[in-house]
């Protein structure tokens, strides 16, 4: 178990540390409601969500989780107001600039998954994501994946397109297109299937997140708005995960 500074109060007494999910997906939801409940702008909720995300990362480190994927901007989020989209674009790169070195010191590898070459994504975001990935490439305590301009269906469609290109180039036969091949053309190399997907805010939906990788994931829906989530809430979600019996289609 990793000792994480500032987490002395974390209660791990209910967790089985030998049965921690290898890959947790987080759907960060409820920032707007959190802000509106306080009479603040929605963007203040996103700003408050930063501390929750980094606390959850610390929780994952303390638990010894291998992979943590956070849904930070969806392909559907472009339909929000121009000012909110602009804020989220800036915020997504600002967080990386301010906190990359801290994650690097914790031996966290950073990855980015989504339609990163979308012309609507500012070049500066692309540069900062590429830098963060390069600087932390050799880290291996925890892999944090930022699902940014991400959609699960878009990811599957892109994998299918890549397979078609390989066929067209004569590098692949159609009968070689199977589940492991499509899986290998998606997401981040080496990323395992998700064991646990958490969506905060009490909404019970998967909303196009990790569709392929969530095939057998346990789903946990804590009734907590994202800015109130954090290390202890992540531990509690893992405790709930451990109470489930995973059958993988067997009797
Ligand atoms: C999630 O919170 C924010 C993003 C990752 C974009 P929301 O902005 O969806 O908050 P609610 O659902 O309106 O409360
Ligand atoms: Mg929402």
């Amino acid at each position: 178990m990793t000792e994480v500074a500032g987490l002395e109060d974390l209660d791990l007494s209910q967790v089985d540390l030998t049965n921690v999910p290898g890959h947790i997906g987080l759907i960060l939801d409820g920032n707007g409601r959190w802000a509106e409940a306080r009479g603040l702008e929605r963007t203040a909720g996103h700003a408050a969500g930063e501390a929750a995300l980094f606390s959850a990362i610390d929780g994952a480190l303390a638990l010894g989780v291998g992979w943590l994927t956070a849904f930070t901007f969806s392909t559907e989020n472009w339909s929000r107001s121009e000012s909110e989209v602009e804020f989220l674009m800036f915020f997504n790169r600002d967080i990386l600039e301010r906190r990359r070195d801290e994650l690097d010191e914790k031996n966290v590898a950073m990855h980015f998954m989504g339609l990163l070459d979308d012309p609507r994504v500012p070049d500066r975001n692309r540069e900062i994501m590429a830098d963060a990935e390069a600087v932390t490439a050799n880290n291996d305590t925890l892999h944090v994946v930022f699902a940014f301009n991400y959609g699960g269906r878009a990811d599957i469609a892109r994998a299918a397109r890549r397979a078609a290109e390989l066929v067209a180039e004569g590098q692949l036969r159609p009968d070689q297109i199977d589940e492991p091949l499509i899986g290998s053309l998606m997401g981040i190399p080496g990323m395992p299937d998700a064991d646990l997907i958490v969506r905060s805010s009490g909404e019970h939906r998967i909303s196009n997140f990790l569709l392929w990788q969530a095939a057998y994931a346990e789903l946990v829906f804590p009734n907590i708005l994202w800015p109130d989530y954090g290390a202890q809430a992540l531990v509690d979600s893992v405790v709930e995960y451990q109470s489930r019996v995973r059958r993988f289609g067997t009797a």
Side-chain angles (χ1 to χ4, degrees):
M1 195 183 88
T2 319
E3 287 298 329
V4 181
L7 288 186
E8 296 78 11
D9 294 337
L10 195 64
D11 180 5
L12 295 173
S13 64
Q14 306 302 309
V15 195
D16 174 0
L17 290 172
T18 68
N19 180 29
V20 166
H23 181 186
I24 301 177
L26 296 174
I27 302 177
L28 288 50
D29 198 13
N31 293 349
R33 278 163 281 171
W34 185 94
E36 282 155 19
R38 286 162 180 76
L40 302 170
E41 298 285 328
R42 294 177 54 81
T43 50
H46 300 316
E50 175 183 340
L53 177 60
F54 282 79
S55 177
I57 291 172
D58 283 342
L61 284 165
L63 288 166
V65 170
W67 290 74
L68 188 74
T69 299
F71 206 174
T72 61
F73 191 88
S74 81
T75 47
E76 288 72 38
N77 286 152
W78 295 107
S79 63
R80 295 192 174 193
S81 74
E82 202 179 311
S83 62
E84 187 171 350
V85 168
E86 199 178 318
F87 177 90
L88 286 168
M89 280 299 130
F90 171 76
F91 192 52
N92 266 278
R93 68 171 184 262
D94 184 51
I95 282 184
L96 300 177
E97 284 199 298
R98 285 186 287 103
R99 306 198 65 157
R100 180 195 74 187
D101 292 349
E102 171 191 333
L103 292 181
D104 189 32
E105 277 159 28
K106 292 176 179 174
N107 199 26
V108 169
M110 297 164 76
H111 308 275
F112 300 89
M113 177 171 72
L115 302 175
L116 306 182
D117 48 10
D118 186 325
R120 291 172 296 182
V121 173
D123 285 338
R124 188 76 191 120
N125 283 58
R126 258 187 292 278
E127 283 163 24
I128 289 170
M129 288 188 277
D131 273 357
E133 194 161 43
V135 166
T136 64
N138 296 321
N139 296 348
D140 57 7
T141 303
L142 169 67
H143 295 268
V144 173
V145 182
F146 294 84
F148 174 76
N149 197 20
Y150 173 81
R153 287 185 170 181
D155 213 20
I156 294 169
R158 186 169 55 181
R161 207 155 51 237
R162 284 184 185 154
E165 283 163 7
L166 292 171
V167 170
E169 291 163 8
Q171 296 188 51
L172 190 71
R173 293 190 318 270
D175 63 281
Q176 291 172 313
I177 300 177
D178 55 10
E179 291 180 23
L181 180 101
I182 292 291
S184 74
L185 296 176
M186 299 178 53
I188 306 295
M191 185 174 88
D193 278 353
D195 300 296
L196 166 63
I197 305 276
V198 177
R199 181 183 192 137
S200 60
S201 88
E203 306 276 355
H204 295 194
R205 279 191 302 282
I206 196 156
S207 296
N208 205 13
F209 184 51
L210 297 182
L211 291 184
W212 182 272
Q213 297 88 347
Y216 287 100
E218 292 296 331
L219 308 178
V220 171
F221 300 110
N223 210 352
I224 303 174
L225 300 175
W226 178 257
D228 295 327
Y229 201 79
Q232 190 62 54
L234 187 84
V235 170
D236 296 345
S237 297
V238 169
V239 171
E240 185 170 341
Y241 159 87
Q242 290 178 340
S243 75
R244 309 273 179 85
V245 181
R246 302 186 76 197
R247 297 187 195 279
F248 297 99
T250 63

